[in-house]
Amino acid sequence: GGLVGSLLVVVQKGVARGIFSNESGLGSAPIAAAAARTKEPVRQGLVSMTGTFLDTIVICTMTGLSIVLTDAWRGVDAQGVRLEGVNITNKAFDDGLFFLPGSVSSFILMICLSFFAFTTILGWNYYSERCLEYLCGRKKWIVQIFRWVYIAAVFIGPYLTAAAVWGIADIFNGMMAFPNLIALIALSGVVVKETKSFISRYKRKAEETHE
């Protein structure tokens, strides 16, 4: 019973953090993909899939390996102080980049996190504004109010604990995922049909080119 419970917790945490890193299944990335200019929706879908690969398979794997290889996963620094969140990654960078002073490796991590955080803030603002415009009929005053609320949330967020931030993120991600998964199931037939059509046309065009 304890083993099964622990396994379920591990799976739950893994899925939650995986979704948080690449947004797969949330229905947010299609908002940006829908704004792309393309004649083939399937091709745009394949391009969007590379985001999941780069986020999770490349970046998250490299970060996870650095934490495991440097024993930073134990979550304790040299003084025995308990570490959480980004401090664990910071320790991994300090220990892994042993040829650099600790201040330099921490600065490198800070720059990376700044870019990731800033682009995430901009991306989610774009997604939410597009959704709000659709729901409210493009009323500019509603969007303007939302922008001020969004900016306020950006300043309030750093004062929350890591546990509170993760909890809020998991709740809202779940609220986004359930209706989107229902839509995915309903549209699965269309996706399969369009994908088969695209692949067959692509193969036929490739064969004609070789001939």
Side-chain angles (χ1 to χ4, degrees):
L3 179 60
V4 174
S6 299
L7 182 60
L8 290 176
V9 171
V10 171
V11 172
Q12 185 268 330
K13 293 294 184 182
V15 171
R17 298 300 164 263
I19 290 175
F20 191 79
S21 71
N22 56 50
E23 304 170 24
S24 295
L26 296 184
S28 54
I31 299 173
R37 294 184 178 180
T38 179
K39 296 180 180 179
E40 294 287 353
V42 175
R43 179 179 295 167
Q44 181 59 38
L46 294 173
V47 171
S48 297
M49 289 170 60
T50 59
T52 300
F53 177 81
L54 293 174
D55 283 343
T56 303
I57 305 301
V58 178
I59 296 176
C60 289
T61 298
M62 291 174 63
T63 305
L65 287 174
S66 66
I67 291 173
V68 171
L69 293 175
T70 57
D71 277 346
W73 62 272
R74 299 180 186 278
V76 180
D77 64 6
Q79 288 74 35
V81 178
R82 187 72 179 173
L83 301 176
E84 291 184 2
V86 70
N87 291 325
I88 295 177
T89 308
N90 192 29
K91 183 179 186 303
F93 271 60
D94 288 344
D95 296 343
L97 300 177
F98 56 87
F99 53 88
L100 294 175
S103 57
V104 175
S105 59
S106 297
F107 179 76
I108 294 174
L109 178 60
M110 181 192 69
I111 294 297
C112 294
L113 290 175
S114 297
F115 278 115
F116 287 145
F118 185 66
T119 54
T120 299
I121 290 172
L122 293 180
W124 277 106
N125 180 70
Y126 175 79
Y127 293 157
S128 50
E129 280 194 18
R130 295 290 82 78
C131 292
L132 189 61
E133 287 179 359
Y134 176 80
L135 293 174
C136 69
R138 297 183 178 274
K139 294 180 180 178
K140 292 184 178 180
W141 65 272
I142 296 179
V143 176
Q144 192 64 38
I145 292 175
F146 169 79
R147 287 175 180 173
W148 285 109
V149 173
Y150 190 88
I151 293 172
V154 171
F155 284 97
I156 294 172
Y159 294 97
L160 299 176
T161 62
V165 171
W166 285 119
I168 294 172
D170 291 343
I171 291 171
F172 281 97
N173 281 346
M175 292 173 64
M176 292 171 59
F178 281 116
N180 186 66
L181 291 175
I182 295 173
L184 288 176
I185 294 173
L187 293 172
S188 59
V190 177
V191 173
V192 172
K193 179 182 177 181
E194 291 294 328
T195 303
K196 287 182 177 180
S197 174
F198 173 78
I199 293 175
S200 63
R201 284 185 282 109
Y202 181 82
K203 288 182 177 179
R204 186 165 59 250
K205 187 181 295 185
E207 291 173 356
E208 293 174 355
T209 302
H210 287 301
E211 291 176 357

